[in-house]
Amino acid sequence: MNIILFGAPGAGKGTQAKELIKKYEIPQISTGDILRGAIANKTPLGLEAKKLMDQGQLVSDEIVNGLVEARLQEADCEKGFILDGFPRTVAQAEELDKIMKKIGKEIDKVIALEVSDDEIIERITGRRVSKVTGKIYHIKYNPPVDEKLEDLEQRADDNEETVKKRLAVYNEQTAPVLDFYKKQNKVYEIDGAQKLENITKDIIEILEK
């Protein structure tokens, strides 16, 4: 079961991935985690990526693709994996197809969490982090019960302007990836604005078809 979890920032991919890991015991693979791991382990690609990041530059597709290819061949991916946040561009999706062919696998299903931009802005701008416990809350959906409001702060990049910029980049660069997979009949769209447990139920139904 090799799947891609797809959706805008704040669509709930991370939350759903946790549920799927518990159920299917397959790893969630996010490029951020792979990068941090490669840098911590000082692998050749990790060192190259660190150099670029230290200069404030974006890590090239070539490096990201190389890291993904190595990660997908690790033993814990034997039963399958959940890709989260990759591919971000059509070029990366094309490259992923080549990688999968090379390692004798293929992407089975692309689960797209559909959430409106307005809902995402509300979700992200409402997030607050406790300076004391580090717990994450939402002022509307998940307000703190036993913490003082003055101990909560908004992360610098959770403001409306930044969120709108991230959504613009997503809509321009990443949304076309969905069309790429629609041509392969692999896309299953799910209403990402429902209750969490309903989304999980919908995803499991699709995966077990």
Side-chain angles (χ1 to χ4, degrees):
M1 187 186 294
N2 307 320
I3 60 177
I4 295 173
L5 265 186
F6 201 85
K13 299 186 295 294
T15 308
Q16 292 305 323
K18 283 190 190 82
E19 295 303 317
L20 298 177
I21 292 165
K22 268 191 289 195
K23 183 163 174 59
Y24 296 110
E25 295 177 344
I26 56 176
Q28 170 192 10
I29 297 172
S30 86
T31 43
D33 291 345
I34 300 178
L35 261 177
R36 283 186 287 275
I39 290 167
N41 295 326
K42 298 191 164 72
T43 68
L45 284 174
L47 292 171
E48 217 174 310
K50 187 176 186 313
K51 199 167 80 183
L52 289 169
M53 286 158 80
D54 288 346
Q55 293 165 0
Q57 293 182 43
L58 281 176
V59 180
S60 70
D61 269 5
E62 204 178 334
I63 292 175
V64 174
N65 295 337
L67 289 168
V68 170
E69 181 173 344
R71 179 69 186 87
L72 294 181
Q73 293 180 79
E74 287 179 26
D76 63 343
C77 292
E78 275 303 304
K79 284 201 303 185
F81 52 79
I82 303 158
L83 274 174
D84 166 13
F86 181 89
R88 279 176 201 263
T89 61
V90 172
Q92 283 183 349
E94 290 169 346
E95 195 53 43
L96 178 61
D97 270 4
K98 289 179 195 163
I99 291 170
M100 297 301 281
K101 207 172 213 168
K102 201 160 135 190
I103 62 178
K105 295 181 177 179
E106 68 168 316
I107 295 298
D108 299 312
K109 289 174 180 175
V110 178
I111 308 289
L113 298 176
E114 299 284 306
V115 184
S116 72
D117 285 3
D118 288 346
E119 165 89 9
I120 281 179
I121 290 166
E122 186 181 33
R123 279 184 189 184
I124 297 180
T125 55
R127 278 200 301 222
R128 296 292 183 274
V129 184
S130 166
K131 289 183 276 191
V132 182
T133 62
K135 281 186 184 164
I136 298 172
Y137 297 97
H138 192 283
I139 44 179
K140 180 177 168 186
Y141 303 120
N142 178 26
V145 181
D146 47 8
E147 300 212 43
K148 297 188 188 114
L149 284 175
E150 59 267 29
D151 288 336
L152 301 183
E153 58 184 357
Q154 186 181 42
R155 285 183 184 150
D157 58 355
D158 280 353
N159 64 74
E160 188 165 340
E161 192 187 343
T162 308
V163 176
K164 281 182 171 168
K165 278 185 192 155
R166 283 167 69 196
L167 282 171
V169 170
Y170 170 81
N171 288 325
E172 185 186 318
Q173 292 183 3
T174 309
V177 173
L178 216 47
D179 294 328
F180 175 84
Y181 286 113
K182 277 180 181 169
K183 287 177 189 149
Q184 299 181 9
N185 294 321
K186 289 182 178 174
V187 176
Y188 297 82
E189 290 172 338
I190 284 176
D191 176 6
Q194 330 169 60
K195 283 186 175 159
L196 292 179
E197 55 271 27
N198 292 350
I199 299 172
T200 309
K201 193 166 120 310
D202 285 355
I203 294 177
I204 288 168
E205 271 174 23
I206 287 165
L207 295 181
E208 298 192 347
K209 265 180 192 167

